Every structure is written in structure tokens, then in C-alpha cells.
Amino acid sequence: MRCTCLLLGIMSKYIVDPVIYSIYHTDLKTMPHPSKFQREDDSEPIPHPPRYKEHLQILAADLKLAYKALYEAIQPIPYIRDRLYCVDKVFIEGGSEEWVGDGTFRGKGTSWVRLESYKDIYTNPPGKPIRYIIQADPGFGKTTQTLQYTFNWSTGVKGSPFSDVQLLIYLRLRQLRGVRSLAIAIRRYLLPKSCPLKIADIREILEHTTSVAIILDGWDEYPELNTELGGYMRDIITARASPNHDVTLTTRYLPKEFPATARRVRLTGFDDQARDQYIRKAVVGDSDESVEQIKQRLKDNPVLADLCQVPLFFVMFAHLAHEKEAFKRFKSVTEFFSFMIKCFHEHLRNKEEDPNVERQSRQYEGVHEELSALAYEGLSKPDQQIVWKKEELIRRLGEGFYEHHKRIGMLVEEEVITDQTTADGFDVYTSEIRFYHKLFCEWYAAYHLAELAVTLDGAELSSELKKLDPYDLQYLYRFACGLDPAAGKKIISYLQSLKGGDKFAVLCILEQTGEVDDIKETVKKLCADTVSIKMGDTKLLQRSTVQLLDIASSHKIPTSCLHLNGCVSEAVAAGGNLLLNSGLHVPPSTTLETIAITGENLDIPEGKMIGLLTYAEKCEKLKKLTLQCLLPLSDLPAEQIPPSLKTRNIEVLLLSLKELVYHLNLIQGKWVKHSSGTAQIGGYVELSRGTEIGWRVRELTRASAAGIPIAQVVIYGCSPVADQSGSISLALLSSQLSLPILSTLQELWIRDIARRMDNTEVVGILSYTAQCAAVKVLVFDGQTLPDRVQGAESTLSTLRSRNVSVLGRMKTESSPSDCRVRCLDLFSGVWEDD
């Protein structure tokens, strides 16, 4: 009974949580040879078909011609069709991050590592083919980046991704309705009709070429995404098809199934440096005056700061800001979009001298109810429809209206192959229509939503809005509020009723009024308390919070504290901003007084710490920076610490693990134990597969070396085994870590459900415990153990002399189905029932 009470008392102190045209005459010897994209099992070459080399040469040449037509037709502004750019003249690297984890990509988003270059996505060593997933929201440059890959391959840019592959296959998935094989897709969409290669020839080339890379662009736009007919493409992604080829998939959403070995990258958009590079490269050249003029116009429009992180919209902003003298300061995103749409129509009117064209243009610009209704219908469907058959669109809109919006670049026409063939066996093509970008679809849909909001009562509107996910369609909501104040009032009321909707509602209020004065009191109220961004927040909520901070900063509204909880894996000062795990940037605030960054997975090396201090320096009113995380407590170079932090006497604190507190001496760059901190790691410290074990082990080691008491360590599901050094080895998914002897540890739990431990393993754990001089309690939880511990007399004697309690909620070899509380008799080594 004593053991049961003791064990229950101990248990009450913690709960373990559940835890990517001369070619025809080129000598084939000069073509790239396999390297990192070659299969590792090709030790003996596969015999090639008789005309393989000739066919490979033809295919490579025609692919390069097809790609040239794509990468030389980039339109930064859709209505300027007489000005096309080569992708290499406009491509600028935005931010990108790679997921670094255990292969389970759907877990907590806390293991994103910033990449220095888009080329780093493909820096894998030679070996088996890999699946790459490049993920980003619309407009973040997924297609532009893949077109840059086709340019690099086609023109032989050395050292670039795919420069050393023999074949690069680039396919746009939205075109592949009814396509059942890779060879058919290549024949239909990439090769000219005059090409002599047949589908069988292409299939033969793919089977015998060891150096092939495939890019599938736009998984979320694949028309057979959720149908059985899409199985072939799903098989390519999962490596059930084309297993010997590297495959890169671009998508907005993760596919439901993909290999655990896939490398996952996300694009995070343009920071200040990328925006500056684009302006110089694609807009004004090296004119410093023009560069500063565009940048100043962006500063004059803080409401567009979030939108301009999206490369597509910054590109349009930069060109419009440079070319339009009437460019002004916008009070809302709605006002900017209205200006931009007007520019689309004006450009066509300025090109045409016919008065009838001008009259029709103005009519089409102002009257678009049917287009708005069609856009809304598409976005409100469970599986959103953003592509329409040309015949259907013309029937609803009228041919004149359709042709006008196609000419201004708002609607884009694309030929796709149907499942049908002609009597003589030729493919039948049809035309599909889509908006230039989904945000334009949201713009027109917002007119219809605003009309519905005015006419429907509260319950009817609520039912209608439930079809529209604010996370996915935030600008639809914002535009609707900005277009009609009466509609906005009802929509805002609905948003405020949602959990976490108050912050997003503030942005909608701003769209509605265009005046910050109308929302100042609401912003003041929200910023008076701690403003939090946490790991579980939706991206919309995080984005809304960041924009709320921007509003407060630009209008001198004090913000008491910003708490970043579990949403920052590295405190990266990217382009002068903090980078969240979601990819969002948090710019410095001129009115923020305290920053608190917490999260068990946060690891800030020396260089990143200096960057974080530089960020803190830019927060003009900041008084305190608090970190609750792992921080290598090495000295910082005093000369690199921003001088103004020293003169402003900003307090920089570290809460290490539990109650242990350090502060940073800004003069010397040294971490010093804070007087208000208690010299004990209280509670329990869990070491498990679901936690960042490495930094916890290092912190425990430091605490022990410093003589700081450690109340309890729980080793959960890591199959701990004592090694020859006396430490405990922890078996993890990808590495082997050791927990050294902790001289200040007071209590150790070994929790490993359904694990069978032999005598040697049990003796090793007992020996480790005996060497931890302060341990008073050892608990085995969930294992099956030998009935008796043998060959450990000396260890048992040591434990006995220190009056250590060794308990178990476990099974024994003689009673494998009977889990109960037992105590180890330290004289006999026998597990005794309570």
C-alpha cells in the first residue's frame, strides 16, 4: 500500500502529453550526364533501343522550344500585352524555408529552416529519386520559380537546379484533364504536331533515361484532384509511378498522400531586400531616385504592406507606382484594387481611337453583375470553381463583355484537350477561361456578396457566409465591406461572433471606412492588453494580428506586449522583420513596449540573437525582451550589440526551461543569473519523441553542472538504454542522444508503454540512477520487466544506502497480462506486489 500511495502521489505531479534551335544538330555527347538525379541502383547500364539516342535528342530539343514559348511570355501587368518579359529578367528570389523534421509533415509547424537560395531546395546528395513539394499561397511565385528552372535547363545555366539532367519535363496540371500517362501528357502539351515521336517512343525514352526530372505545377488546380481519374498523377507523387525520376510538385495545399522522404519547401514572399531587387531589375534599372520614389509610395500606403508581401501584387504595385503619375495614397486595399481595375480598362481605352470602343469599355467597366454572380457561385462551392468552359462563359456574359475582359487581361483563355477524338483519331481541344488571379475572382464576387448582405436577414446571411471560409477568402470579405458600408456592417457583426474574429473584423472595419480614426478605440482596446500570436492560430488570425500591430505603430497607438507563443522556431530577422513559422513577417513596431517569445522548440544561435537584438533596437519604445527557450549561453560579441540598446537600458531576459532566469549584460555581452530567478528546475522535464530533446538535454546538463536542483525528468517512449559511459542513450527517429549523469536530479521516470526490457537493460537503468547522487525515486511505467534483477548487488546496495524508492507500474515476465504497481526489494532484487 505504501508503494501505491507513493506512486500515485508522484503521478499527480505531471501528465504526459500524447504525444520540390541548334539542338537538333548538337552532338549527344555534349548533353548533360546523370549525376545527383541518377538512380543509385544502375550499376549496369540498361541496353538502349535502336533509335534511343536520336529520339532523346529530338525530345530534348522540342521540350526546350516549348519552354521558351512559356518563359519568354511573362506579363508583370496583365493588360500590357505588348510588353512581355523573359523570366530571367524579372525573377527575384523571395523567401523560402524547408521543413526539417522526422518525415511526418502534418505535425506542429515548428521546424521550418530558412534557405539561403531557391537553388538549395535541390542540394540533396546522389541517391534514390526524391519527391519535392513547393508550397505557397496564390501569387507567391510558384509558377515563376518553376519557369526559371525551365529557363536554366534550356539555356544550360551552370550550377542551377536541373542543369545536369538529360530531360526536364514541365507540366501544368490544370491542363491535364483526362490524361492517363506521362507520355501522353508530353505528346499532347509539350511537343509540336510536326514532332515525329509517338507516345510509345516517349514512353521508351522515359524508361531508358536515368537522368529525368519532372515538374508538376499546380496540384491544387488539377481538375481531377479529388476523382478516381486523378489516380495516375497521385501515383507519380507517391512514387508508385515514375519511381526512378525526381518529381517536383507545386501546390497551395499539401496532397493527401506523399512519401515520408519527400522534401517540403514553402515560399514566404518578398521582404524589403527582394522588393528592392525587383524594382532595380525589372522596373527602373539603376536609377536610385526612381527606386526611392517607388519605395516611398509603398511607405505612404501602409495598408498595402501585407498585400505587397505577395510577389504578384508587389510587381503590379511597383509598375503602377512607376508609370502612373496619378498614383496616390490609398486608405484601404479595396481602394487600391478599384484603382488597379480602372487602370486595366483605361489602358485599353487609351490604345483605341474608336469612340464606340471607349463607350463600350465604360459600360463594361461599370456593369458586371453577371460576372460578379458567376465569380461568387464558383467561390462558394465546396470544391471551388475557378475555371469555366468558354461557351458557358460567353452564354452568361455575352461575347462583347467576354472579349473586352480578355483584352484587358482580366480573363485568361487556355486551350485544353478533351477526352474526345475526331473520326480520324485527332485530339479535340476546347477553351477554358480563368481569372488572371484568384484575387480578381474575389474582387468581382465581393460585389455579389455585398448585394446579398444587404438583402438577407441575419440568419440567412450567417448561413450564406458559412460557405465562405475567411481563412481562404479573406479579401472577399474585406472587399465586400469596403464596397458597401451597409453590407459591411452586417458582415463585420458576423465576423465578431466568430472565435478570434475580432482582429479580422478590425481590418474589415478599416476597409469599410478607410479612416483609422473610426477604429482607433477598438485598436486601443485590443493593444492595451497582451497581443498574442500563437502556434494554433490560423494564418488569417496571425495575418490580422500583424496588420493590427502595423495600424497601431503607424498611428502611435501604444502596444503593451507582443507575445509570440510557439510560432517562431528561429528568431530570424529576415529583411529587418521577425519571421513566423507560418511564413508571415512581423515588422518592427514604433509603439511596442514588451516582446515575449516562448516555445520549447525555439533555438537562437549567436548570430540570430544579434539579429533579434537589432530588431529590438528598431522598436523605438521597447523596454523589455523576454525569451523562454533554449539559448546557448555563450557570450555575445559586445561590439555587435546595437549601441542604442545600451543607452536605452532595455532589459533582455531568458527563462531557461522552468524558473531559471538570466539577463543579458548589454555592455559585456554576457548572460548573468537574474536575482529574481529561483535556483531550481521545478516541475518535470519531459524527454520524448514529440519534444526537442537535444536542447533539453543540453539545458539539463548545464543545470546539473551548475549545481541547480532538477526536480524530475520523464523519459517517454525513447527506449532508453544505459551505455558504457554510464549515460542513458535515447533511441530517436533519426539520431542517437545521450542523457549524461545528472548529479542534481531528484526523480527519474522511465515511461515506455508495452516495451519488454531484459535484465541487462534494467540493471543499466538502475546503475545510472545510482550514479545520480541526488535521485530519491526511480519509476518504471508501462514496461514488462524480469521478475528479479540479477547481477546488480553493488548497485542495489548503493540505492539501499541512499534510501531510493524503485517503483513500477508494470508487468513481469511471469505475469505478462497483469499490470500493477510493484516495488523493487533492494535486498533480494525481486519485484514485490503492493
Side-chain angles (χ1 to χ4, degrees), residues 390-434:
K390 181 178 179 179
E391 295 80 6
E392 175 194 355
L393 212 68
I394 290 177
R395 179 179 58 80
R396 293 191 60 174
L397 304 179
E399 190 163 0
F401 185 96
Y402 164 72
E403 289 295 337
H404 173 80
H405 282 78
K406 189 176 78 167
R407 291 182 68 189
I408 67 172
M410 184 66 64
L411 297 175
V412 179
E413 184 175 323
E414 196 167 61
E415 274 198 339
V416 297
I417 298 173
T418 67
D419 293 330
Q420 302 171 340
T421 57
T422 62
D424 47 3
F426 289 99
D427 293 320
V428 175
Y429 287 79
T430 188
S431 294
E432 290 185 343
I433 312 301
R434 58 183 174 84

Side-chain angles (χ1 to χ4, degrees), residues 320 324 326-328 330 334-344 443:
L320 289 172
K324 296 290 182 180
F327 201 85
K328 58 182 181 179
F330 300 100
T334 304
E335 192 178 9
F336 172 67
F337 251 74
S338 182
F339 172 80
M340 188 162 54
I341 300 297
K342 183 179 179 181
C343 290
F344 281 35
W443 170 259

Side-chain angles (χ1 to χ4, degrees), residues 146-446:
T146 53
L147 286 176
Q148 181 69 32
Y149 293 150
T150 66
F151 171 87
N152 293 343
W153 179 73
S154 300
T155 59
V157 177
K158 297 296 183 183
S160 61
F162 308 111
S163 62
D164 54 356
V165 301
Q166 291 172 286
L167 286 177
L168 177 64
I169 311 300
Y170 171 78
L171 292 165
R172 290 177 169 173
L173 287 171
R174 67 170 180 263
Q175 298 176 323
L176 302 189
R177 186 189 302 276
V179 175
R180 300 290 173 267
S181 80
L182 192 59
I184 293 173
I186 294 169
R187 174 64 263 192
R188 286 185 176 181
Y189 288 100
L190 297 179
L191 304 184
K193 294 179 181 179
S194 59
C195 178
L197 298 180
K198 299 178 180 178
I199 292 173
D201 298 325
I202 299 169
R203 187 176 291 117
E204 199 171 61
I205 293 170
L206 294 174
E207 290 174 355
H208 290 83
T209 304
T210 57
S211 179
V212 177
I214 301 167
I215 298 175
L216 302 176
D217 185 25
W219 175 248
D220 51 294
E221 298 178 348
Y222 183 38
E224 294 170 348
L225 177 64
N226 297 314
T227 70
E228 292 183 5
L229 299 177
Y232 182 74
M233 283 301 159
R234 285 194 289 272
D235 286 347
I236 292 180
I237 294 168
T238 57
R240 291 189 290 264
S242 299
N244 299 318
H245 303 148
D246 283 84
V247 177
T248 297
L249 181 75
T250 73
T251 181
R252 182 178 183 185
Y253 306 108
L254 278 177
K256 294 178 181 178
E257 186 181 3
F258 50 86
T261 55
R263 292 184 68 176
R264 179 181 162 197
V265 174
R266 69 179 179 191
L267 308 183
T268 59
F270 274 2
D271 57 17
D272 292 342
Q273 183 178 4
R275 287 194 280 260
D276 187 89
Q277 289 176 355
Y278 181 83
I279 294 170
R280 292 181 182 278
K281 186 174 183 179
V283 184
V284 301
D286 291 327
S287 170
D288 291 337
E289 182 179 351
S290 297
V291 171
E292 288 306 314
Q293 181 188 48
I294 295 173
K295 291 169 70 175
Q296 185 59 46
R297 286 185 165 179
L298 182 56
K299 291 178 183 177
D300 290 342
N301 288 277
V303 72
L304 303 181
D306 177 68
L307 188 69
C308 285
Q309 282 190 29
V310 181
L312 176 74
F313 290 101
F314 174 74
V315 165
M316 284 194 268
F317 176 92
H319 285 273
L320 289 172
H322 177 57
E323 297 171 7
K324 296 290 182 180
E325 291 297 327
F327 201 85
K328 58 182 181 179
R329 180 170 182 169
F330 300 100
K331 297 178 180 178
S332 66
V333 178
T334 304
E335 192 178 9
F336 172 67
F337 251 74
S338 182
F339 172 80
M340 188 162 54
I341 300 297
K342 183 179 179 181
C343 290
F344 281 35
H345 292 280
E346 280 186 349
H347 181 80
L348 181 61
R349 290 198 288 267
N350 292 338
K351 286 180 63 177
E352 301 288 346
E353 298 180 358
D354 188 343
N356 291 326
V357 172
E358 181 175 353
R359 177 178 53 79
Q360 280 190 331
S361 173
R362 294 191 183 280
Q363 179 183 351
Y364 293 147
E365 180 181 358
V367 182
H368 46 72
E369 287 84 357
E370 193 62 30
L371 179 60
S372 298
L374 183 136
Y376 181 83
E377 291 166 14
L379 293 177
S380 60
K381 293 180 179 180
D383 291 324
Q384 291 178 3
Q385 180 186 1
I386 54 175
V387 177
W388 293 266
K389 297 292 185 184
K390 181 178 179 179
E391 295 80 6
E392 175 194 355
L393 212 68
I394 290 177
R395 179 179 58 80
R396 293 191 60 174
L397 304 179
E399 190 163 0
F401 185 96
Y402 164 72
E403 289 295 337
H404 173 80
H405 282 78
K406 189 176 78 167
R407 291 182 68 189
I408 67 172
M410 184 66 64
L411 297 175
V412 179
E413 184 175 323
E414 196 167 61
E415 274 198 339
V416 297
I417 298 173
T418 67
D419 293 330
Q420 302 171 340
T421 57
T422 62
D424 47 3
F426 289 99
D427 293 320
V428 175
Y429 287 79
T430 188
S431 294
E432 290 185 343
I433 312 301
R434 58 183 174 84
F435 281 90
Y436 176 76
H437 188 276
K438 186 182 176 184
L439 240 59
F440 293 110
C441 185
E442 293 187 45
W443 170 259
Y444 284 100

Side-chain angles (χ1 to χ4, degrees), residues 763-783:
V763 170
I765 297 297
L766 291 171
S767 177
Y768 173 86
T769 305
Q771 295 177 77
C772 295
V775 169
K776 293 299 182 184
V777 178
L778 168 65
V779 178
F780 291 90
D781 186 11
Q783 302 90 345

